[in-house]
Structures are given as structure tokens and as C-alpha cells.
Amino acid sequence: MEVLRLEGVSKTYYHMGIPVPAVRNVNLVIKKGDFVSLMGPSGCGKSTLLNLCGVMDYPTKGQILFNGINLKSLNDGGLTQLRRQKIGFVFQSFNLLPSLTTIENVALPLLLDGFPSKKAKEKASTLIELVGLTHRVDHYPQQLSGGEMQRVGIARAVCHQPKLLLADEPTGNLDSNNGVKIIKILQDLNKNLDIAILLATHSDVVAAATQKVLQMYDGEIKKC
Ligand SMILES: Nc1ncnc2c1ncn2[C@@H]1O[C@H](COP(=O)(O)OP(=O)(O)O)[C@@H](O)[C@H]1O
Ligand SMILES: [Mg+2]
């Protein structure tokens, strides 16, 4: 079953009137159960592509289908719902809210979606356990290591059981030891929760742990 399909997708930014083609004519299919990595030099368009897949940005050309539904057929409410409920996003710099504890950070997307507080916290606790952070449940981000912060970021990204998890250099700010732990967690989520994953990385070790490696250069995917 197809989770995500990109057909002839391009994204051109304009910087001081000059076009910057960040993503060029990308065709890509992510299926249920896939674990795919995207490699390529800095500036080749990895983040732009992930943002397009995560409905955080829109293509200049081409179309994107999620679960067979063309994003062009959705209104703003439908796009927001899709972004919030079907897609999880993990950032290189974690993007946790500093004034919230581990459990509050993880439960936040559920509370925003109208979950009752008790239910949201129960669900968040289960995920915190899954990423091995039960002993850090009431800690604030500044009391956590980088690897722990990323584990909170992952628990938050999957709290609503998304179909697709996008991760933009999730181990980029971590030492190799913590990087390996993060990859192991992503592998488990892929397998046990059946979440398709697309991640961008510079690390050969991370890429080797995925099922398929795509190479990106100058906005294009070279190998599919
Ligand atoms: N908001 C933006 N405005 C203008 N240019 C951008 C913007 N975001 C990215 N770019 C440009 O698009 C290209 C691809 O960037 P990016 O997707 O961040 O690459 P990567 O993640 O592979 O490093 C780069 O040339 C970058 O400068
Ligand atoms: Mg990037």
C-alpha cells in the first residue's frame, strides 16, 4: 500500500528575485513498512524535499499524494489534519519546548488535537517507555542529553501513530553511540508500529541501517 507518492515534484525558491531550484522533478513512492534514507551533500535539497513530504511547504510544480489522496484536493483544514494526524516529523535540533517536561512535550500534539489531558498523558507515558526514558519523564529539555532529547522528539513525533515519519538528519547533532541508539529506535518503530520512515542523513552508518538509500544531487534524486 502506498503511503506517499511524489510525481514530478519541483520546488523553486526566489532569493532577491533570483530563482533557486531546491528540488527538481522528483518522483518518489514510499510504501507501508518502508524505511528509506536520503543522502546527499549540504544544499542538495534534502530538507526542502522532507518539508514538501511533510506538508510544511508546497511544490511549485508536480503533485503529492498521501494515501492516494492528492494534496491539491484538500483545503487548509484537511492539510492541517493530515500534517497533525498522519505525519510525524523529527528535527536535527530536536525542537522541544524548553518550558515543558518530557511528558508535556510528548503529550502536546495530542492535547492540541483535543485529547483529554489524562488520556494524552497515558499515551505519552507509553511512548516515553518505548524510547527508554521513563526515568526522565519529569525532566526539562535542558536537563537531558542530546540523545535523550532526540528520543523525546521521536516519542512526540509518533504520539498520534502516524503513517509516515520524516526525520531530517535525526542523528546530525549526536555522537555515534547515541546515533546508533536513535537508529535502533527508528527501526523498532518501523517494524513494530508499522510506520513508514523517510530520513535525511549524512551518515553511512545510518543509511546502512535503512532498507533503501536514495542519492540526491542538485535537487534531483539520482537512484530510486
Ligand atoms: N526558504 C528558502 N529560501 C530560499 N532558498 C532556500 C530556502 N530554503 C532552502 N533554500 C535553498 O534551497 C537549496 C536546498 O536547501 P536544503 O533543502 O536546505 O538542502 P539540504 O537540506 O540538502 O542541505 C539550497 O540552495 C538552499 O540555500
Ligand atoms: Mg537540510
Side-chain angles (χ1 to χ4, degrees):
M1 201 181 105
E2 269 182 30
V3 176
L4 184 75
R5 171 180 281 268
L6 274 64
E7 291 177 350
V9 166
S10 298
K11 176 74 188 184
T12 301
Y13 291 112
Y14 286 86
H15 183 65
M16 291 165 57
I18 299 162
V20 181
V23 167
R24 298 197 288 182
N25 195 28
V26 166
N27 297 299
L28 173 67
V29 174
I30 304 285
K31 296 198 179 98
K32 200 170 179 288
D34 275 356
F35 190 4
V36 179
S37 54
L38 186 62
M39 295 194 87
S42 244
C44 74
K46 301 181 297 298
S47 294
T48 304
L49 185 62
L50 288 182
N51 291 342
L52 292 170
C53 294
V55 202
M56 297 202 283
D57 204 348
Y58 300 100
T60 330
K61 246 168 67 186
Q63 48 192 2
I64 301 180
L65 289 88
F66 194 93
N67 273 347
I69 297 168
N70 193 325
L71 298 193
K72 283 179 185 162
S73 71
L74 298 176
N75 60 18
D76 280 353
L79 292 169
T80 303
Q81 211 175 354
L82 177 66
R83 198 184 299 120
R84 276 200 189 165
Q85 296 176 352
K86 303 275 193 270
I87 302 170
F89 211 102
V90 174
F91 305 89
Q92 178 176 357
S93 47
F94 324 127
N95 289 12
L96 303 180
L97 291 177
S99 59
L100 300 185
T101 61
T102 293
I103 191 151
E104 289 166 347
N105 264 291
V106 176
L108 186 63
L110 296 170
L111 295 172
L112 291 174
D113 259 351
F115 267 68
S117 167
K118 192 163 171 265
K119 214 171 153 197
K121 289 211 164 166
E122 274 168 19
K123 217 165 173 201
S125 296
T126 310
L127 287 158
I128 289 165
E129 195 181 337
L130 201 78
V131 299
L133 281 183
T134 302
H135 59 305
R136 295 283 185 266
V137 77
D138 291 322
H139 285 57
Y140 289 91
Q142 73 267 22
Q143 299 171 316
L144 302 174
S145 70
E148 288 172 336
M149 281 195 267
Q150 192 56 298
R151 286 192 266 160
V152 178
I154 291 170
R156 176 183 60 184
V158 298
C159 66
H160 50 315
Q161 288 161 282
K163 301 273 177 238
L164 176 68
L165 181 66
L166 302 163
D168 196 353
E169 302 194 33
T171 64
N173 283 356
L174 306 177
D175 59 60
S176 59
N177 208 4
N178 275 301
V180 168
K181 283 187 194 162
I182 293 298
I183 287 307
K184 176 85 181 50
I185 289 170
L186 293 177
Q187 280 175 324
D188 287 350
L189 291 172
N190 173 247
K191 223 167 102 192
N192 302 334
L193 297 190
D194 205 19
I195 300 174
I197 301 180
L198 174 63
L199 63 80
T201 185
H202 282 291
S203 158
D204 291 328
V205 177
V206 172
T210 66
Q211 297 159 355
K212 185 156 118 182
V213 184
L214 304 173
Q215 296 287 346
M216 203 170 177
Y217 295 105
D218 293 336
E220 290 182 280
I221 287 183
K222 292 294 183 200
K223 203 168 95 189
C224 212

